[in-house]
Amino acid sequence: MNIMKYFTSHLILILKAIFIFMSVLLVHPAHAFGTSSSTAEPPVPQTFSFTDNGTNTLGNGVSCSIRSQIADILSTSGSSNNTFVRFYGPSNQFLGAVAGGYYYSPDLSGGAWQGPFGSLATNMSAIETACGWTPGSMSVINETRTGTSFSTATEITTTFRFAYGGGLYQYSGGIVAASASAIASPTNSLTYVGPYSPSVAPSQPTTAAATAGNAQASVTFAEPSSDGGAAITNYNATCTSSNGGNTGTASASASPITVTGLTNGKNYTCTVTATNSAGTGAASSASNAVTPMGTQTINFANPGSQNFGTTPTLTATSTSGLTVAFTSSSTGVCTISTGGALSFLTIGNCTILADNAGDASYLPASTVTQSFAVNAVAPGAPTIDRTTAGIGQATVAFSAPISDGQAAITGYTVTCTSSNGGTAGTASGNSSPITVTGLTNGKNYACTVTATNSVGIGFASAASSAVAILSPIPSLSEWAMVLMALLMGLFAVIRLKARLPKLVTS
């Protein structure tokens, strides 16, 4: 019984203690564990005040003051420089600035704002020391501009962050340029972002993808999921080859990045890293594999008009040094060997294509096409079949030329010349045979034939064998006179023979 009373009394005490502890925990949970749970912002590091001529001043101007201002805004020299958020220390000495600036050009009355230009931050460590901010905590967020001229009340605002007293703050300061002679309505704001954590290197970029070019690759990527608490200042792409190509690297402030100096015909994958003030983060996963390839151009000049029956050879070169191949797209008019030897089938328009399919290091070349006319020519030479001599003339039979030059033959001309002083003669006709008259009887002659079309006179045939031109046959009266003369001569011989014995005896 005593044991039961003892146990009951101590159990009540234990329950009371638990009740008190839970009450404190519910009302003041931080006191229960000896820590503070206050989420109040750290004290604002400075207060703001404004001065004339559009200058914003932050702080008391003794140890650290910030002025959002436009330098030389009233200049009449043709351009106006603009620098924002300038920092001044004790005795008003200039410490640095956190914006690159814009300039107004070509003059104050009719120009336009350009930029931003120049450095985004200068002497940030000196600024942090003078202002009492956490070293290494300053970072420029952006610089923006609205409006294009003074007449549109251009406002330029710079935003940056810094840490003070364990908190991260964001400052935005701007100035409105209402006209060439007035700067009005300066604006600024200081906001608490949250507890300050020292920045770390960014996380890795994602979805790297490469596209091959000529000895280069263009690499696209997505930004890292975390900038590490500090603005990313740079991205770096590295492309490495799996089969002996040169490694290439390049940097840029955003996607895409073009990496040059790669080896054509080699296989590459690329990775991307991001860098902030804390350092360079991990590389992205490797991109897809790409093979840079060289480009090439074919040089193929138009050969100009060609004559039917000729066999020219065309030439072309490529900037890669690879051999150019030829084909014909007008095979009814002309054909060509891959090496460039042309053959003409008829007259008309001949179209030749020059190509190169590339190789392991070069992409195919763009096809170069040249078209030119194939013109008709004079006919070929006829062939003499036989030559027949007559009295004062020769008749020549011949065959037409193998080629009419792709134009209809309109006539033939036969020319006969003597080797022993006879008078030459010519005659024309539309077909074989053709008789040449006016030749000298008893003289030897050889003849040639030419064909004519709309282009001109073709080549002469080979000369015929020589023939002798015949003398004319006597008429009947001429034969009668000859016979009478023979009879009279015979009668005279008979009489002379009859008188010859008498003359001997006497």
Side-chain angles (χ1 to χ4, degrees):
M1 193 67 171
N2 291 334
I3 294 175
M4 194 64 158
K5 287 182 179 180
Y6 177 83
F7 176 79
T8 302
S9 62
H10 279 76
L11 178 61
I12 293 172
L13 291 175
I14 292 172
L15 291 174
K16 285 183 178 180
I18 293 174
F19 176 78
I20 293 171
F21 177 80
M22 292 299 295
S23 298
V24 172
L25 180 63
L26 292 172
V27 177
H28 300 289
H31 291 194
F33 296 98
T35 61
S36 174
S37 64
S38 174
T39 59
E41 300 176 8
V44 177
Q46 289 97 358
T47 59
F48 288 90
S49 62
F50 301 108
T51 61
D52 59 356
N53 198 31
T55 299
N56 294 344
T57 300
L58 172 65
N60 55 22
V62 176
S63 62
C64 171
S65 63
I66 304 175
R67 304 176 190 174
S68 299
Q69 62 184 148
I70 300 177
D72 300 328
I73 191 64
L74 301 181
S75 169
T76 58
S77 61
S79 66
S80 178
N81 295 324
N82 157 249
T83 302
F84 281 130
V85 191
R86 297 160 64 92
F87 291 82
Y88 295 85
S91 302
N92 208 35
Q93 77 271 24
F94 175 68
L95 297 175
V98 296
Y102 288 79
Y103 72 81
Y104 194 73
S105 174
D107 56 56
L108 296 177
S109 59
W113 288 100
Q114 308 289 329
F117 294 96
S119 174
L120 285 175
T122 61
N123 302 326
M124 283 198 291
S125 62
I127 295 170
E128 290 169 339
T129 300
C131 295
W133 299 339
T134 303
S137 65
M138 283 189 66
S139 63
V140 179
I141 304 303
N142 58 32
E143 183 174 38
T144 60
R145 170 179 57 83
T146 62
T148 58
S149 67
F150 282 116
S151 61
T152 57
T154 296
E155 179 175 0
I156 306 175
T157 302
T158 296
T159 301
F160 69 94
R161 290 180 178 183
F162 63 91
Y164 175 83
L168 182 64
Y169 290 86
Q170 180 166 300
Y171 171 81
S172 293
I175 292 178
V176 176
S179 69
S181 60
I183 304 172
S185 304
T187 62
N188 61 19
S189 64
L190 182 66
T191 58
Y192 174 70
V193 177
Y196 172 71
S197 297
S199 59
V200 296
S203 59
Q204 62 181 177
T206 60
T207 62
T211 302
N214 182 10
Q216 66 183 30
S218 177
V219 185
T220 60
F221 55 91
E223 295 180 352
S225 58
S226 170
D227 62 6
I232 294 175
T233 57
N234 185 63
Y235 292 95
N236 187 78
T238 300
C239 296
T240 56
S241 171
S242 61
N243 55 348
N246 295 329
T247 298
T249 62
S251 298
S253 60
S255 175
I257 301 174
T258 298
V259 180
T260 60
L262 307 183
T263 305
N264 285 333
K266 300 297 183 179
N267 300 328
Y268 285 85
T269 57
C270 304
T271 59
V272 183
T273 59
T275 300
N276 63 10
S277 58
T280 299
S284 68
S285 298
S287 70
N288 54 298
V290 294
T291 303
M293 301 286 279
T295 58
Q296 57 173 327
T297 302
I298 291 176
N299 300 311
F300 175 34
N302 192 300
S305 298
Q306 302 292 311
N307 289 331
F308 180 81
T310 59
T311 55
T313 297
L314 303 184
T315 60
T317 60
S318 67
T319 54
S320 66
L322 299 176
T323 301
V324 176
F326 297 97
T327 56
S328 170
S329 64
S330 52
T331 53
V333 175
C334 59
T335 60
I336 191 169
S337 69
T338 57
L342 275 169
S343 296
F344 300 127
L345 307 180
T346 185
I347 61 174
N349 198 53
C350 176
T351 299
I352 300 299
L353 285 64
D355 290 285
N356 182 275
D359 62 6
S361 297
Y362 286 93
L363 294 169
S366 297
T367 300
V368 178
T369 302
Q370 297 290 4
S371 296
F372 51 91
V374 179
N375 298 323
V377 295
T383 301
I384 293 179
D385 298 325
R386 64 184 179 277
T387 301
T388 304
I391 299 172
Q393 67 182 28
T395 299
V396 180
F398 55 88
S399 299
I402 295 175
S403 171
D404 62 3
Q406 294 296 300
I409 293 175
T410 56
Y412 296 92
T413 299
V414 177
T415 301
C416 296
T417 57
S418 172
S419 61
N420 55 350
T423 301
T426 61
S428 297
N430 293 327
S431 61
S432 174
I434 294 176
T435 298
V436 181
T437 61
L439 306 183
T440 304
N441 292 330
K443 300 297 182 180
N444 299 328
Y445 283 86
C447 302
T448 59
V449 184
T450 59
T452 301
N453 63 11
S454 58
V455 177
I457 299 173
F459 294 105
S461 68
S464 67
S465 300
V467 294
I469 303 303
L470 302 177
S471 297
I473 299 174
S475 63
L476 290 177
S477 60
E478 290 174 331
W479 281 112
M481 291 179 65
V482 171
L483 181 59
M484 185 177 292
L486 289 174
L487 290 174
M488 289 179 67
L490 180 60
F491 180 73
V493 170
I494 293 173
R495 287 187 63 186
L496 179 60
K497 187 176 180 180
R499 291 179 59 187
L500 188 59
K502 293 179 179 182
L503 291 174
V504 172
T505 57
S506 62

